[in-house]
Amino acid sequence: KVLDMDPEGPAPTGDDGGVAAAEGEKKPGSSGLLLLKDDPEYTKYFKMLRMHLPKGAVKSKMRAEGKDPTVLDMDPDGPSPSVSQPKVKRTGGGFQLPPRPPKYPKKVSEKPPVPMRALFWQRIQIEDLDDTVWCKLKDDTVPLDPEKLMTQFSKAVKKADRPDTPTSSGVDEDAAKKEKKKEINILDPKVLQNVGIALAKYRMHISDIRLAILRMDENLLGLDKVASLYALRPSPEDRSSLQDFEGDKENLGKVEKFFLEIMDIPRYDQRLECFIFKLKFHKEVAELHNALDVVKAGTKEVLRSRRFRRLLEVVLKVGNFLNGGTSRGGLYGFKLDALNKLATIKSVDNKQTLMHFIADWCQQFEPTLLHVHEELEHVPMARRHPLQAVSADFKTLEKKVSLLESQIQQSENDQKNGRNLPEDRFVEHMQPFLVQAKEDTKKAEEEFSEVQTMFAKMLKSFGEDPSTVGCSEFFGEILTDFLFQFGKAKAQNDKWRLLEEKARQKEAAARLKQQQREERLRALEEAGQRAEAAASEHKDAAPSGRSRLRWRQPSTITDGTDPYSSGALADNIANRMRTIQQPGKGGAVTKQPSGSGDVGNRRIESMMKPGGSAPRKSSTLSSNSDAGAGGSAAPSAGGGELSAYKKSGSRLSHRRANSKTRRS
């Protein structure tokens, strides 16, 4: 029954053996499949084409949004590639066409909370990821600190030859007039000067030079001499001037005679070229092999370096974070020239760059990555040997080999025809060399082809185009510059870290010093408090007046008299003052009787000394002493004078006690 129905009509339902077709999904002639032009994933791009937008611009838009641009080259009326293999599921609604899971799922590109500084890199398209390094790298394994990145690399808030010194004067220093030569010179004076200087350096006769050239004598003519002869070879004008000379050739100058000697050598210029090629061949081939070995070693190091690949993962993670929420985010890989842009993205405070952040991340999480240069030892040397220059050197070798081969053939023809000179040994010396040169050149070319293929394969593994990225650009402008900037950032981070450590140490030392000072002040304060307390206790416990003196210095009483009584003390003071102020006749000092007054005298002496413990205020004593000494006779121990001395002694003892207390 189904075969008899209209194929353009709806599918049968119920028990008739079909499934219902969902409205809006089935199009005429599509047999239930979703057409490409009706696929919601690609509808807007076909709409752009209908609006006459350039196809290339639409493809660029698709690449930026992670879509396959080759879809635009497909038939829009054909089935959509996302549902090219539908899975029929019996439901009440009809066909369900699950999309085919992509090989590389779209990465989540989350927009950071704050605007970030952009890392402008070039995307490697999804279709170009196969067989590259990027399909094996996983940046989701890189631990990242978003807060640190947002703090350091957020967008900043906008705020309202000397002339060349003149050379020495070009005045020619023409000395005295040159003596007139008898020789005839018909060549240019400059040629005569240059060739004459060269011939003087050879220290050989011109006939010997000619014979050495014919015999290809490497012992007499080294590379420097042969190169000089080739540079000073006669020009066609010089040859014509010498051939047209009709005078006596014996009168010609030395240079003209030398040119006449070598002019009969067949193919003189080509002979010297072949001679130079032979003398330089082994050195040039060795240099080519050395250059190829360096490039090969650098290529292998880049392919095998795990640290370099891990660094690419770190840069990919950081770049995707910075470019999150934009068309530049969510990348699987990037062009390697973006590595040198890391040093151009500065932080908010303009003190460091994104390269410093990468180096600091490596120091914190994977310090071994800081020594990535150890795995890329030959990369800086490989930049000095671009394969383009090596290829040009090989072409030069091939041309010289062809020239040598043609010259040997012409010399053999001359020998057959009898036109060769008897001394000519060109074929004899150059034929074996030609065979060896062809073999060495072939081996070098094979090695060059191998290195070139390896280098191109390495570039493709990183998503680079070998036709646009050369050896010098990759090893030099990309890798070597990146390693230099990375090492420089590491050194600066170490320097800043050292300065911060010194600052922390200095701050800690200052804090310790302040703490020690506070402790000393606290100790002094506590000691003062203890001293005040002790003085207070001492003051309360110590006796006063006469009993205090007796308490401080007990004495032995021998005559039954109390030496510390007020009367004895007053007598001692009076006698001492009299002794000081009124010496006896003849300069003798009046002595006091021994006994009870000795102790008082000793104490008075100690009190009257400048360093004594008694106060230095002695106005009362002086006045009393003067009053006592006013008469002609000495004062007695009794009467009004004695009472005055007693009062002064009492006041002195009180002052002494108070002074001791204050000093305590």
Coordinates of all heavy atoms in Angstrom, one line a residue, residues 62-121:
M62 N 32.4 32.2 9.4 CA 32.2 30.8 9.8 C 33.4 30.3 10.6 O 33.3 29.7 11.6 CB 31.9 29.9 8.7 CG 30.6 30.2 8.0 SD 30.2 29.1 6.6 CE 29.9 27.6 7.5
R63 N 34.6 30.6 10.1 CA 35.8 30.2 10.8 C 35.9 30.8 12.2 O 36.3 30.2 13.2 CB 37.1 30.6 10.1 CG 37.3 29.8 8.8 CD 38.7 30.1 8.2 NE 38.8 29.5 6.9 CZ 38.7 30.2 5.7 NH1 38.3 31.5 5.8 NH2 38.8 29.6 4.6
A64 N 35.6 32.1 12.3 CA 35.6 32.8 13.6 C 34.6 32.2 14.6 O 34.9 32.2 15.8 CB 35.3 34.3 13.4
E65 N 33.5 31.7 14.1 CA 32.5 31.1 15.0 C 32.7 29.6 15.1 O 31.8 28.9 15.7 CB 31.1 31.4 14.4 CG 30.8 32.9 14.5 CD 29.4 33.2 14.0 OE1 28.7 32.3 13.6 OE2 29.0 34.4 14.1
G66 N 33.8 29.0 14.6 CA 34.0 27.6 14.7 C 33.3 26.7 13.8 O 33.1 25.5 14.1
K67 N 32.8 27.2 12.7 CA 32.0 26.4 11.7 C 32.9 26.0 10.6 O 34.0 26.7 10.3 CB 30.8 27.1 11.2 CG 29.9 27.6 12.3 CD 29.2 26.4 13.0 CE 28.1 26.8 14.0 NZ 28.5 27.7 15.0
D68 N 32.5 24.9 9.9 CA 33.3 24.5 8.7 C 32.9 25.3 7.5 O 31.8 25.2 7.0 CB 33.0 23.0 8.5 CG 33.9 22.4 7.4 OD1 34.8 23.1 6.9 OD2 33.6 21.2 7.0
P69 N 33.9 26.1 6.9 CA 33.5 27.0 5.8 C 33.3 26.2 4.5 O 32.7 26.8 3.6 CB 34.7 27.9 5.7 CG 35.8 27.1 6.3 CD 35.3 26.3 7.4
T70 N 33.7 24.9 4.4 CA 33.5 24.2 3.2 C 32.0 23.8 3.0 O 31.6 23.4 1.9 CB 34.3 22.9 3.2 OG1 33.9 22.1 4.4 CG2 35.8 23.2 3.4
V71 N 31.2 24.1 4.0 CA 29.8 23.8 3.8 C 29.2 24.7 2.7 O 28.2 24.3 2.0 CB 29.0 24.0 5.2 CG1 27.5 23.9 5.0 CG2 29.5 23.0 6.2
L72 N 29.7 25.9 2.6 CA 29.2 26.8 1.6 C 29.4 26.3 0.2 O 28.8 26.8 -0.8 CB 29.8 28.2 1.7 CG 29.5 28.9 3.1 CD1 30.2 30.3 3.1 CD2 28.0 29.1 3.3
D73 N 30.4 25.4 0.0 CA 30.7 24.9 -1.3 C 29.8 23.7 -1.7 O 29.8 23.2 -2.8 CB 32.1 24.5 -1.4 CG 33.1 25.6 -1.2 OD1 32.7 26.8 -1.6 OD2 34.2 25.4 -0.7
M74 N 28.9 23.3 -0.7 CA 28.1 22.1 -0.9 C 26.7 22.6 -1.5 O 26.4 23.8 -1.6 CB 27.8 21.4 0.4 CG 29.1 20.9 1.1 SD 28.9 20.2 2.7 CE 27.7 18.8 2.3
D75 N 25.9 21.6 -2.0 CA 24.6 21.9 -2.5 C 23.7 22.3 -1.4 O 23.4 21.5 -0.5 CB 24.1 20.7 -3.3 CG 22.8 20.9 -4.0 OD1 22.4 22.1 -4.1 OD2 22.1 20.0 -4.5
P76 N 23.1 23.5 -1.5 CA 22.2 23.9 -0.4 C 20.9 23.1 -0.4 O 20.2 23.1 0.7 CB 22.0 25.4 -0.7 CG 22.3 25.6 -2.1 CD 23.3 24.6 -2.4
D77 N 20.6 22.5 -1.5 CA 19.3 21.7 -1.5 C 19.6 20.3 -1.1 O 18.7 19.4 -1.1 CB 18.7 21.7 -2.9 CG 18.3 23.1 -3.3 OD1 17.8 23.9 -2.4 OD2 18.4 23.5 -4.5
G78 N 20.8 19.9 -0.8 CA 21.2 18.6 -0.4 C 21.0 18.4 1.1 O 20.7 19.4 1.9
P79 N 21.2 17.2 1.6 CA 21.0 17.0 3.0 C 22.1 17.7 3.8 O 23.2 17.9 3.4 CB 21.1 15.5 3.2 CG 21.9 15.0 2.0 CD 21.5 16.0 0.9
S80 N 21.7 18.1 5.0 CA 22.7 18.8 5.9 C 23.7 17.7 6.4 O 23.4 16.6 6.7 CB 22.0 19.3 7.1 OG 22.9 19.9 8.0
P81 N 25.0 18.1 6.5 CA 26.1 17.2 6.9 C 25.9 16.8 8.4 O 26.4 15.7 8.7 CB 27.4 17.9 6.7 CG 27.0 19.4 6.7 CD 25.6 19.4 6.1
S82 N 25.2 17.6 9.1 CA 25.1 17.2 10.5 C 24.1 16.1 10.7 O 24.0 15.5 11.8 CB 24.6 18.5 11.4 OG 23.4 19.0 10.9
V83 N 23.2 15.9 9.7 CA 22.2 14.8 9.8 C 22.3 13.9 8.6 O 21.3 13.4 8.1 CB 20.8 15.4 9.9 CG1 20.6 16.2 11.2 CG2 20.5 16.3 8.8
S84 N 23.5 13.7 8.1 CA 23.7 12.9 6.9 C 23.4 11.4 7.2 O 23.1 10.7 6.3 CB 25.1 13.1 6.3 OG 26.0 12.7 7.3
Q85 N 23.5 11.0 8.4 CA 23.3 9.6 8.8 C 22.2 9.6 9.9 O 22.6 9.4 11.1 CB 24.5 8.9 9.2 CG 25.6 8.8 8.1 CD 26.9 8.2 8.6 OE1 27.0 7.8 9.8 NE2 27.8 7.9 7.7
P86 N 21.0 9.8 9.6 CA 20.0 9.9 10.6 C 19.7 8.6 11.2 O 19.8 7.5 10.6 CB 18.7 10.5 9.9 CG 18.9 10.0 8.5 CD 20.4 10.0 8.2
K87 N 19.4 8.6 12.5 CA 19.0 7.4 13.2 C 17.5 7.5 13.4 O 16.9 8.4 14.1 CB 19.7 7.4 14.5 CG 19.4 6.1 15.4 CD 20.1 6.1 16.7 CE 19.8 4.9 17.5 NZ 20.5 4.9 18.8
V88 N 16.8 6.5 12.8 CA 15.3 6.5 12.9 C 14.9 6.0 14.2 O 15.4 4.9 14.7 CB 14.8 5.6 11.8 CG1 13.2 5.6 11.8 CG2 15.2 6.1 10.4
K89 N 14.1 6.8 14.9 CA 13.6 6.4 16.2 C 12.1 6.5 16.2 O 11.5 7.5 15.8 CB 14.2 7.3 17.3 CG 13.8 6.9 18.7 CD 14.4 7.9 19.7 CE 14.1 7.5 21.1 NZ 14.7 8.4 22.1
R90 N 11.5 5.4 16.5 CA 10.0 5.3 16.5 C 9.5 6.1 17.7 O 9.6 5.6 18.8 CB 9.5 3.9 16.4 CG 9.7 3.2 15.1 CD 9.1 1.8 15.1 NE 9.3 1.2 13.8 CZ 8.4 1.3 12.8 NH1 7.4 2.1 12.9 NH2 8.7 0.7 11.7
T91 N 8.9 7.2 17.4 CA 8.2 8.0 18.5 C 6.9 8.5 17.9 O 6.6 8.2 16.7 CB 9.1 9.2 18.9 OG1 9.2 10.0 17.8 CG2 10.4 8.7 19.4
G92 N 6.2 9.1 18.6 CA 4.9 9.7 18.1 C 5.1 10.8 17.2 O 4.1 11.2 16.6
G93 N 6.3 11.4 17.1 CA 6.5 12.6 16.3 C 7.1 12.3 14.9 O 7.1 13.2 14.1
G94 N 7.9 11.3 14.7 CA 8.5 11.1 13.4 C 10.0 10.8 13.6 O 10.5 10.3 14.6
F95 N 10.8 11.3 12.6 CA 12.2 11.1 12.6 C 12.9 12.0 13.6 O 12.6 13.2 13.7 CB 12.8 11.3 11.2 CG 12.5 10.2 10.2 CD1 11.6 10.5 9.2 CD2 13.0 8.9 10.4 CE1 11.3 9.5 8.3 CE2 12.7 8.0 9.5 CZ 11.8 8.2 8.4
Q96 N 13.8 11.5 14.3 CA 14.8 12.3 15.1 C 16.2 12.2 14.5 O 16.6 11.1 14.4 CB 14.8 11.8 16.6 CG 13.6 12.3 17.4 CD 13.7 12.0 18.9 OE1 14.7 11.4 19.3 NE2 12.8 12.4 19.7
L97 N 16.7 13.3 14.2 CA 18.0 13.3 13.5 C 19.1 13.9 14.4 O 19.3 15.1 14.5 CB 17.9 14.2 12.2 CG 16.8 13.7 11.3 CD1 16.7 14.7 10.1 CD2 17.0 12.3 10.8
P98 N 19.7 13.0 15.2 CA 20.8 13.5 16.1 C 22.0 14.0 15.4 O 22.4 13.4 14.4 CB 21.1 12.3 17.0 CG 20.8 11.1 16.1 CD 19.6 11.5 15.3
P99 N 22.6 15.1 15.8 CA 23.7 15.6 15.1 C 24.9 14.7 15.3 O 25.1 14.1 16.4 CB 24.0 17.0 15.7 CG 23.3 16.9 17.1 CD 22.2 16.0 16.9
R100 N 25.8 14.7 14.3 CA 27.0 13.9 14.4 C 28.0 14.6 15.3 O 28.3 15.8 15.2 CB 27.6 13.7 13.0 CG 28.9 12.9 13.0 CD 29.4 12.7 11.6 NE 29.6 14.0 11.0 CZ 30.0 14.1 9.7 NH1 30.1 13.1 8.9 NH2 30.2 15.3 9.2
P101 N 28.5 13.8 16.3 CA 29.4 14.5 17.3 C 30.7 14.9 16.6 O 31.3 14.2 15.8 CB 29.7 13.4 18.3 CG 29.4 12.1 17.6 CD 28.3 12.4 16.6
P102 N 31.1 16.2 16.8 CA 32.3 16.6 16.1 C 33.6 16.0 16.6 O 33.6 15.6 17.8 CB 32.3 18.1 16.4 CG 31.6 18.3 17.6 CD 30.5 17.2 17.6
K103 N 34.6 15.9 15.8 CA 35.9 15.3 16.2 C 36.6 16.1 17.3 O 37.2 15.6 18.2 CB 36.8 15.1 15.0 CG 38.1 14.4 15.4 CD 38.9 14.1 14.1 CE 40.2 13.4 14.4 NZ 41.0 13.2 13.2
Y104 N 36.5 17.5 17.1 CA 37.0 18.4 18.1 C 35.9 19.2 18.6 O 35.4 20.2 17.9 CB 38.1 19.3 17.4 CG 39.3 18.5 16.8 CD1 39.4 18.3 15.5 CD2 40.3 18.1 17.7 CE1 40.4 17.6 14.9 CE2 41.3 17.4 17.1 CZ 41.4 17.1 15.8 OH 42.5 16.4 15.3
P105 N 35.3 18.9 19.7 CA 34.2 19.6 20.3 C 34.6 21.1 20.6 O 35.7 21.4 20.8 CB 33.9 18.9 21.6 CG 35.1 18.2 22.0 CD 35.8 17.8 20.7
K106 N 33.6 21.9 20.5 CA 33.8 23.3 20.7 C 34.2 23.6 22.1 O 33.5 23.2 23.0 CB 32.5 24.1 20.3 CG 32.7 25.6 20.4 CD 31.5 26.3 19.9 CE 31.7 27.9 20.0 NZ 30.4 28.6 19.6
K107 N 35.3 24.4 22.2 CA 35.7 24.7 23.6 C 34.9 25.8 24.2 O 34.4 26.7 23.5 CB 37.2 25.2 23.6 CG 38.2 24.1 23.4 CD 39.6 24.6 23.6 CE 40.6 23.5 23.5 NZ 42.0 24.0 23.8
V108 N 34.7 25.7 25.5 CA 33.9 26.7 26.2 C 34.8 27.9 26.4 O 35.9 27.9 26.9 CB 33.5 26.2 27.6 CG1 32.7 27.3 28.3 CG2 32.6 25.0 27.4
S109 N 34.3 29.1 25.9 CA 35.1 30.3 26.0 C 34.3 31.2 26.9 O 33.5 32.0 26.5 CB 35.3 30.9 24.6 OG 36.0 32.1 24.7
E110 N 34.7 31.2 28.2 CA 34.0 32.0 29.2 C 34.6 33.4 29.2 O 35.8 33.5 29.2 CB 34.1 31.3 30.5 CG 33.4 30.0 30.6 CD 33.5 29.3 32.0 OE1 34.1 30.0 32.9 OE2 33.0 28.3 32.2
K111 N 33.7 34.3 29.2 CA 34.2 35.7 29.3 C 34.6 36.0 30.7 O 33.9 35.8 31.7 CB 33.1 36.6 28.8 CG 33.5 38.1 28.7 CD 32.4 38.9 28.2 CE 32.9 40.4 28.0 NZ 31.8 41.2 27.4
P112 N 35.8 36.6 30.9 CA 36.2 37.0 32.3 C 35.3 38.0 32.9 O 34.7 38.8 32.2 CB 37.7 37.5 32.1 CG 38.1 36.9 30.7 CD 36.9 36.8 29.9
P113 N 35.3 38.1 34.2 CA 34.4 39.1 34.8 C 34.8 40.5 34.5 O 34.0 41.4 34.6 CB 34.6 38.8 36.3 CG 35.1 37.4 36.4 CD 35.9 37.2 35.2
V114 N 36.1 40.8 34.2 CA 36.5 42.1 33.9 C 37.2 42.1 32.5 O 37.6 41.1 32.0 CB 37.6 42.6 34.9 CG1 36.9 42.7 36.3 CG2 38.8 41.7 35.0
P115 N 37.1 43.2 31.8 CA 37.8 43.3 30.5 C 39.3 43.0 30.6 O 40.0 43.5 31.4 CB 37.5 44.7 30.0 CG 36.3 45.2 30.8 CD 36.5 44.5 32.1
M116 N 39.8 42.1 29.7 CA 41.2 41.7 29.7 C 41.9 42.2 28.5 O 41.3 42.6 27.5 CB 41.3 40.2 29.8 CG 40.6 39.5 30.9 SD 41.2 40.0 32.6 CE 42.8 39.3 32.5
R117 N 43.2 42.3 28.7 CA 44.1 42.7 27.5 C 44.1 41.6 26.6 O 44.3 40.4 27.0 CB 45.5 43.1 28.0 CG 45.5 44.3 29.0 CD 46.8 44.5 29.6 NE 46.8 45.6 30.6 CZ 47.2 46.8 30.4 NH1 47.9 47.0 29.3 NH2 47.1 47.7 31.3
A118 N 44.0 41.9 25.3 CA 43.9 40.8 24.3 C 45.2 40.3 23.8 O 46.2 41.1 23.8 CB 43.1 41.4 23.1
L119 N 45.3 39.0 23.5 CA 46.4 38.4 22.9 C 46.1 38.1 21.4 O 45.3 37.2 21.1 CB 46.8 37.1 23.6 CG 48.0 36.3 23.0 CD1 49.2 37.1 22.9 CD2 48.2 35.0 23.8
F120 N 46.6 38.9 20.5 CA 46.3 38.8 19.1 C 47.1 37.7 18.5 O 48.3 37.8 18.2 CB 46.5 40.1 18.4 CG 45.6 41.2 18.9 CD1 46.0 42.1 19.9 CD2 44.3 41.3 18.4 CE1 45.2 43.1 20.3 CE2 43.5 42.3 18.8 CZ 43.9 43.2 19.8
W121 N 46.4 36.5 18.3 CA 47.1 35.4 17.6 C 46.2 34.9 16.5 O 45.1 35.3 16.3 CB 47.4 34.3 18.6 CG 46.2 33.8 19.4 CD1 44.9 34.1 19.2 CD2 46.2 33.0 20.6 NE1 44.1 33.5 20.2 CE2 44.9 32.8 21.0 CE3 47.2 32.4 21.3 CZ2 44.5 32.1 22.1 CZ3 46.9 31.6 22.4 CH2 45.6 31.5 22.8

